[in-house]
Tab-separated table of all heavy atoms in Angstrom:
chain	number	residue	atom	x	y	z
A	80	THR	N	0.838	-1.196	0.005
A	80	THR	CA	0.003	-0.009	-0.002
A	80	THR	C	0.878	1.241	-0.005
A	80	THR	O	1.745	1.394	0.841
A	80	THR	CB	-0.933	0.017	1.240
A	80	THR	OG1	-1.696	-1.192	1.269
A	80	THR	CG2	-1.859	1.214	1.210
A	81	THR	N	0.632	2.137	-0.966
A	81	THR	CA	1.445	3.359	-1.068
A	81	THR	C	0.788	4.488	-0.245
A	81	THR	O	-0.402	4.436	0.066
A	81	THR	CB	1.560	3.840	-2.517
A	81	THR	OG1	0.266	4.213	-3.000
A	81	THR	CG2	2.163	2.763	-3.399
A	82	PHE	N	1.600	5.474	0.073
A	82	PHE	CA	1.071	6.647	0.800
A	82	PHE	C	0.036	7.361	-0.074
A	82	PHE	O	-0.945	7.894	0.432
A	82	PHE	CB	2.197	7.604	1.166
A	82	PHE	CG	3.205	7.023	2.128
A	82	PHE	CD1	4.514	7.467	2.114
A	82	PHE	CD2	2.858	6.054	3.036
A	82	PHE	CE1	5.447	6.950	3.019
A	82	PHE	CE2	3.777	5.525	3.929
A	82	PHE	CZ	5.081	5.973	3.903
A	83	GLU	N	0.252	7.326	-1.396
A	83	GLU	CA	-0.688	7.942	-2.315
A	83	GLU	C	-2.067	7.235	-2.237
A	83	GLU	O	-3.091	7.903	-2.213
A	83	GLU	CB	-0.147	7.876	-3.742
A	83	GLU	CG	-1.020	8.594	-4.758
A	83	GLU	CD	-0.403	8.587	-6.138
A	83	GLU	OE1	0.833	8.655	-6.268
A	83	GLU	OE2	-1.181	8.513	-7.093
A	84	GLU	N	-2.042	5.923	-2.167
A	84	GLU	CA	-3.287	5.162	-2.047
A	84	GLU	C	-4.014	5.478	-0.748
A	84	GLU	O	-5.238	5.388	-0.671
A	84	GLU	CB	-3.025	3.668	-2.131
A	84	GLU	CG	-2.590	3.202	-3.513
A	84	GLU	CD	-2.117	1.750	-3.522
A	84	GLU	OE1	-1.630	1.238	-2.492
A	84	GLU	OE2	-2.229	1.128	-4.588
A	85	LEU	N	-3.257	5.839	0.270
A	85	LEU	CA	-3.829	6.217	1.559
A	85	LEU	C	-4.203	7.698	1.619
A	85	LEU	O	-4.650	8.187	2.636
A	85	LEU	CB	-2.840	5.900	2.691
A	85	LEU	CG	-2.531	4.426	2.899
A	85	LEU	CD1	-1.339	4.272	3.875
A	85	LEU	CD2	-3.759	3.688	3.409
A	86	SER	N	-4.011	8.401	0.495
A	86	SER	CA	-4.301	9.838	0.385
A	86	SER	C	-3.502	10.647	1.428
A	86	SER	O	-4.037	11.549	2.082
A	86	SER	CB	-5.793	10.103	0.550
A	86	SER	OG	-6.511	9.461	-0.465
A	87	LEU	N	-2.223	10.305	1.574
A	87	LEU	CA	-1.343	11.022	2.490
A	87	LEU	C	-0.442	11.966	1.712
A	87	LEU	O	0.321	11.532	0.856
A	87	LEU	CB	-0.481	10.027	3.281
A	87	LEU	CG	-1.205	9.043	4.189
A	87	LEU	CD1	-0.221	8.031	4.747
A	87	LEU	CD2	-1.920	9.764	5.312
A	88	ASP	N	-0.526	13.261	2.005
A	88	ASP	CA	0.392	14.204	1.393
A	88	ASP	C	1.634	14.313	2.262
A	88	ASP	O	1.760	13.641	3.284
A	88	ASP	CB	-0.262	15.567	1.158
A	88	ASP	CG	-0.715	16.263	2.431
A	88	ASP	OD1	-0.176	15.940	3.534
A	88	ASP	OD2	-1.590	17.138	2.340
A	89	SER	N	2.579	15.158	1.882
A	89	SER	CA	3.857	15.228	2.593
A	89	SER	C	3.675	15.662	4.044
A	89	SER	O	4.353	15.172	4.947
A	89	SER	CB	4.830	16.157	1.877
A	89	SER	OG	4.277	17.446	1.746
A	90	LEU	N	2.742	16.564	4.308
A	90	LEU	CA	2.493	16.993	5.682
A	90	LEU	C	1.901	15.848	6.505
A	90	LEU	O	2.262	15.640	7.656
A	90	LEU	CB	1.557	18.196	5.696
A	90	LEU	CG	1.280	18.824	7.061
A	90	LEU	CD1	2.576	19.271	7.729
A	90	LEU	CD2	0.320	19.986	6.923
A	91	ASP	N	0.984	15.077	5.890
A	91	ASP	CA	0.417	13.917	6.565
A	91	ASP	C	1.519	12.903	6.921
A	91	ASP	O	1.513	12.338	8.016
A	91	ASP	CB	-0.597	13.194	5.679
A	91	ASP	CG	-1.903	13.963	5.516
A	91	ASP	OD1	-2.330	14.603	6.480
A	91	ASP	OD2	-2.465	13.906	4.407
A	92	VAL	N	2.449	12.688	6.006
A	92	VAL	CA	3.536	11.729	6.225
A	92	VAL	C	4.394	12.166	7.420
A	92	VAL	O	4.752	11.360	8.257
A	92	VAL	CB	4.379	11.514	4.967
A	92	VAL	CG1	5.614	10.679	5.267
A	92	VAL	CG2	3.551	10.868	3.865
A	93	VAL	N	4.691	13.441	7.510
A	93	VAL	CA	5.500	13.962	8.625
A	93	VAL	C	4.770	13.702	9.955
A	93	VAL	O	5.360	13.216	10.907
A	93	VAL	CB	5.804	15.471	8.439
A	93	VAL	CG1	6.397	16.054	9.715
A	93	VAL	CG2	6.748	15.676	7.267
A	94	GLN	N	3.487	14.023	9.987
A	94	GLN	CA	2.702	13.800	11.205
A	94	GLN	C	2.634	12.312	11.527
A	94	GLN	O	2.765	11.892	12.671
A	94	GLN	CB	1.285	14.378	11.065
A	94	GLN	CG	0.425	14.155	12.296
A	94	GLN	CD	0.986	14.820	13.541
A	94	GLN	OE1	1.335	15.998	13.517
A	94	GLN	NE2	1.060	14.075	14.611
A	95	LEU	N	2.420	11.510	10.508
A	95	LEU	CA	2.343	10.053	10.684
A	95	LEU	C	3.650	9.504	11.244
A	95	LEU	O	3.654	8.659	12.139
A	95	LEU	CB	1.994	9.384	9.366
A	95	LEU	CG	1.831	7.879	9.419
A	95	LEU	CD1	0.694	7.468	10.342
A	95	LEU	CD2	1.588	7.340	8.008
A	96	ILE	N	4.772	9.984	10.728
A	96	ILE	CA	6.101	9.553	11.206
A	96	ILE	C	6.236	9.863	12.701
A	96	ILE	O	6.702	9.024	13.481
A	96	ILE	CB	7.228	10.212	10.403
A	96	ILE	CG1	7.247	9.738	8.962
A	96	ILE	CG2	8.604	9.972	11.063
A	96	ILE	CD1	7.536	8.273	8.765
A	97	MET	N	5.754	11.016	13.126
A	97	MET	CA	5.831	11.373	14.533
A	97	MET	C	4.968	10.422	15.365
A	97	MET	O	5.386	9.979	16.443
A	97	MET	CB	5.419	12.827	14.754
A	97	MET	CG	6.442	13.822	14.226
A	97	MET	SD	6.140	15.549	14.690
A	97	MET	CE	4.579	15.895	13.877
A	98	ASP	N	3.787	10.080	14.868
A	98	ASP	CA	2.921	9.128	15.553
A	98	ASP	C	3.588	7.747	15.652
A	98	ASP	O	3.515	7.073	16.670
A	98	ASP	CB	1.568	8.992	14.851
A	98	ASP	CG	0.731	10.270	14.940
A	98	ASP	OD1	1.075	11.174	15.721
A	98	ASP	OD2	-0.292	10.333	14.207
A	99	ILE	N	4.233	7.339	14.561
A	99	ILE	CA	4.901	6.029	14.520
A	99	ILE	C	6.082	6.007	15.485
A	99	ILE	O	6.302	5.018	16.168
A	99	ILE	CB	5.345	5.710	13.077
A	99	ILE	CG1	4.119	5.432	12.198
A	99	ILE	CG2	6.312	4.526	13.041
A	99	ILE	CD1	4.399	5.396	10.717
A	100	GLU	N	6.843	7.097	15.511
A	100	GLU	CA	7.973	7.182	16.448
A	100	GLU	C	7.491	6.996	17.874
A	100	GLU	O	8.112	6.281	18.661
A	100	GLU	CB	8.694	8.527	16.279
A	100	GLU	CG	9.500	8.627	14.999
A	100	GLU	CD	10.141	9.989	14.828
A	100	GLU	OE1	9.584	11.012	15.318
A	100	GLU	OE2	11.214	10.040	14.200
A	101	GLU	N	6.384	7.632	18.211
A	101	GLU	CA	5.831	7.511	19.561
A	101	GLU	C	5.348	6.087	19.825
A	101	GLU	O	5.631	5.517	20.880
A	101	GLU	CB	4.686	8.505	19.730
A	101	GLU	CG	4.145	8.539	21.137
A	101	GLU	CD	3.075	9.606	21.299
A	101	GLU	OE1	3.224	10.706	20.748
A	101	GLU	OE2	2.093	9.319	21.989
A	102	GLU	N	4.646	5.510	18.876
A	102	GLU	CA	4.088	4.157	19.059
A	102	GLU	C	5.171	3.096	19.196
A	102	GLU	O	5.072	2.194	20.007
A	102	GLU	CB	3.172	3.821	17.856
A	102	GLU	CG	2.638	2.413	17.850
A	102	GLU	CD	1.587	2.123	18.927
A	102	GLU	OE1	0.971	3.088	19.422
A	102	GLU	OE2	1.425	0.950	19.256
A	103	PHE	N	6.225	3.187	18.343
A	103	PHE	CA	7.242	2.148	18.306
A	103	PHE	C	8.466	2.476	19.168
A	103	PHE	O	9.357	1.656	19.312
A	103	PHE	CB	7.685	1.891	16.859
A	103	PHE	CG	6.662	1.164	16.034
A	103	PHE	CD1	5.698	1.863	15.323
A	103	PHE	CD2	6.666	-0.205	15.952
A	103	PHE	CE1	4.750	1.199	14.557
A	103	PHE	CE2	5.713	-0.904	15.195
A	103	PHE	CZ	4.752	-0.190	14.493
A	104	GLY	N	8.555	3.704	19.689
A	104	GLY	CA	9.694	4.089	20.511
A	104	GLY	C	10.980	4.165	19.727
A	104	GLY	O	12.044	3.766	20.211
A	105	VAL	N	10.897	4.690	18.503
A	105	VAL	CA	12.066	4.809	17.630
A	105	VAL	C	12.159	6.230	17.089
A	105	VAL	O	11.224	7.004	17.204
A	105	VAL	CB	11.991	3.808	16.445
A	105	VAL	CG1	12.023	2.377	16.905
A	105	VAL	CG2	10.778	4.064	15.575
A	106	THR	N	13.298	6.516	16.484
A	106	THR	CA	13.477	7.780	15.750
A	106	THR	C	13.636	7.423	14.295
A	106	THR	O	14.447	6.557	13.940
A	106	THR	CB	14.717	8.535	16.257
A	106	THR	OG1	14.538	8.810	17.660
A	106	THR	CG2	14.926	9.822	15.506
A	107	ILE	N	12.860	8.061	13.447
A	107	ILE	CA	12.878	7.758	12.020
A	107	ILE	C	13.323	8.989	11.250
A	107	ILE	O	12.750	10.075	11.422
A	107	ILE	CB	11.493	7.309	11.529
A	107	ILE	CG1	11.062	6.017	12.246
A	107	ILE	CG2	11.483	7.131	10.026
A	107	ILE	CD1	9.656	5.593	11.953
A	108	GLU	N	14.303	8.805	10.408
A	108	GLU	CA	14.751	9.872	9.517
A	108	GLU	C	13.868	9.836	8.278
A	108	GLU	O	13.798	8.822	7.573
A	108	GLU	CB	16.218	9.650	9.125
A	108	GLU	CG	16.821	10.747	8.312
A	108	GLU	CD	17.039	12.037	9.097
A	108	GLU	OE1	17.327	11.936	10.314
A	108	GLU	OE2	16.908	13.107	8.508
A	109	LEU	N	13.131	10.915	8.034
A	109	LEU	CA	12.258	10.981	6.879
A	109	LEU	C	13.078	10.913	5.596
A	109	LEU	O	14.032	11.662	5.429
A	109	LEU	CB	11.421	12.258	6.908
A	109	LEU	CG	10.309	12.372	5.884
A	109	LEU	CD1	9.349	11.185	5.990
A	109	LEU	CD2	9.551	13.666	6.066
A	110	ASP	N	12.711	9.993	4.739
A	110	ASP	CA	13.468	9.735	3.510
A	110	ASP	C	12.487	9.722	2.353
A	110	ASP	O	11.434	9.070	2.425
A	110	ASP	CB	14.170	8.383	3.644
A	110	ASP	CG	15.054	8.036	2.475
A	110	ASP	OD1	14.914	8.653	1.408
A	110	ASP	OD2	15.866	7.142	2.622
A	111	LYS	N	12.812	10.424	1.298
A	111	LYS	CA	11.905	10.494	0.152
A	111	LYS	C	11.695	9.147	-0.530
A	111	LYS	O	10.756	8.982	-1.304
A	111	LYS	CB	12.411	11.524	-0.859
A	111	LYS	CG	12.372	12.935	-0.331
A	111	LYS	CD	12.423	13.942	-1.453
A	111	LYS	CE	12.447	15.346	-0.941
A	111	LYS	NZ	11.206	15.804	-0.396
A	112	SER	N	12.543	8.158	-0.236
A	112	SER	CA	12.390	6.837	-0.845
A	112	SER	C	11.258	6.048	-0.170
A	112	SER	O	10.808	5.033	-0.681
A	112	SER	CB	13.689	6.048	-0.779
A	112	SER	OG	14.007	5.743	0.562
A	113	MET	N	10.790	6.531	0.990
A	113	MET	CA	9.681	5.877	1.660
A	113	MET	C	8.382	6.265	0.940
A	113	MET	O	7.921	7.392	1.050
A	113	MET	CB	9.582	6.304	3.141
A	113	MET	CG	10.606	5.636	4.013
A	113	MET	SD	10.283	5.905	5.758
A	113	MET	CE	10.680	7.644	5.929
A	114	LYS	N	7.861	5.338	0.186
A	114	LYS	CA	6.664	5.602	-0.601
A	114	LYS	C	5.518	4.667	-0.269
A	114	LYS	O	4.403	4.865	-0.727
A	114	LYS	CB	6.972	5.490	-2.094
A	114	LYS	CG	8.031	6.420	-2.617
A	114	LYS	CD	7.476	7.777	-2.802
A	114	LYS	CE	8.533	8.682	-3.415
A	114	LYS	NZ	8.250	10.070	-3.298
A	115	ASP	N	5.834	3.598	0.493
A	115	ASP	CA	4.802	2.615	0.800
A	115	ASP	C	4.986	2.052	2.198
A	115	ASP	O	5.964	2.344	2.881
A	115	ASP	CB	4.772	1.501	-0.244
A	115	ASP	CG	6.086	0.737	-0.355
A	115	ASP	OD1	6.850	0.701	0.629
A	115	ASP	OD2	6.342	0.167	-1.433
A	116	VAL	N	4.020	1.264	2.600
A	116	VAL	CA	4.017	0.686	3.951
A	116	VAL	C	5.211	-0.232	4.130
A	116	VAL	O	5.841	-0.237	5.200
A	116	VAL	CB	2.682	-0.026	4.212
A	116	VAL	CG1	2.721	-0.803	5.519
A	116	VAL	CG2	1.526	0.976	4.220
A	117	GLY	N	5.559	-1.005	3.123
A	117	GLY	CA	6.691	-1.927	3.208
A	117	GLY	C	8.006	-1.221	3.506
A	117	GLY	O	8.788	-1.666	4.361
A	118	SER	N	8.253	-0.133	2.809
A	118	SER	CA	9.508	0.612	3.043
A	118	SER	C	9.497	1.229	4.433
A	118	SER	O	10.522	1.311	5.110
A	118	SER	CB	9.745	1.668	1.960
A	118	SER	OG	8.709	2.621	1.944
A	119	LEU	N	8.332	1.623	4.904
A	119	LEU	CA	8.221	2.190	6.252
A	119	LEU	C	8.487	1.101	7.282
A	119	LEU	O	9.200	1.351	8.271
A	119	LEU	CB	6.828	2.780	6.430
A	119	LEU	CG	6.555	3.597	7.686
A	119	LEU	CD1	7.617	4.652	7.944
A	119	LEU	CD2	5.175	4.217	7.643
A	120	LEU	N	7.975	-0.090	7.068
A	120	LEU	CA	8.244	-1.214	7.976
A	120	LEU	C	9.731	-1.527	8.047
A	120	LEU	O	10.269	-1.823	9.116
A	120	LEU	CB	7.460	-2.443	7.547
A	120	LEU	CG	5.960	-2.414	7.821
A	120	LEU	CD1	5.272	-3.571	7.129
A	120	LEU	CD2	5.673	-2.407	9.314
A	121	THR	N	10.408	-1.462	6.905
A	121	THR	CA	11.846	-1.718	6.853
A	121	THR	C	12.609	-0.692	7.692
A	121	THR	O	13.502	-1.048	8.457
A	121	THR	CB	12.353	-1.680	5.404
A	121	THR	OG1	11.647	-2.689	4.644
A	121	THR	CG2	13.837	-1.914	5.309
A	122	VAL	N	12.215	0.570	7.590
A	122	VAL	CA	12.852	1.651	8.332
A	122	VAL	C	12.596	1.462	9.847
A	122	VAL	O	13.508	1.644	10.658
A	122	VAL	CB	12.363	3.026	7.856
A	122	VAL	CG1	12.827	4.139	8.780
A	122	VAL	CG2	12.859	3.276	6.428
A	123	ILE	N	11.378	1.097	10.216
A	123	ILE	CA	11.041	0.883	11.633
A	123	ILE	C	11.883	-0.265	12.179
A	123	ILE	O	12.447	-0.170	13.279
A	123	ILE	CB	9.541	0.591	11.805
A	123	ILE	CG1	8.726	1.843	11.455
A	123	ILE	CG2	9.257	0.160	13.233
A	123	ILE	CD1	7.223	1.574	11.333
A	124	ALA	N	11.946	-1.356	11.430
A	124	ALA	CA	12.723	-2.546	11.886
A	124	ALA	C	14.175	-2.174	12.077
A	124	ALA	O	14.809	-2.583	13.067
A	124	ALA	CB	12.568	-3.676	10.882
A	125	ALA	N	14.752	-1.390	11.154
A	125	ALA	CA	16.150	-0.976	11.258
A	125	ALA	C	16.357	-0.070	12.472
A	125	ALA	O	17.380	-0.175	13.173
A	125	ALA	CB	16.595	-0.264	9.979
A	126	ALA	N	15.397	0.793	12.742
A	126	ALA	CA	15.516	1.712	13.874
A	126	ALA	C	15.413	0.977	15.196
A	126	ALA	O	15.957	1.422	16.197
A	126	ALA	CB	14.445	2.798	13.767
């Protein structure tokens, strides 16, 4: 599932990243290559 399919714009993604950081207890560096849920999961796992 892509961020576009979820109707998330760049501001939504930033807010979502902050929510994810809080939920998972990690720090995530926002990267333009993150375009879908799978890439986000990879970043979370690495963090």
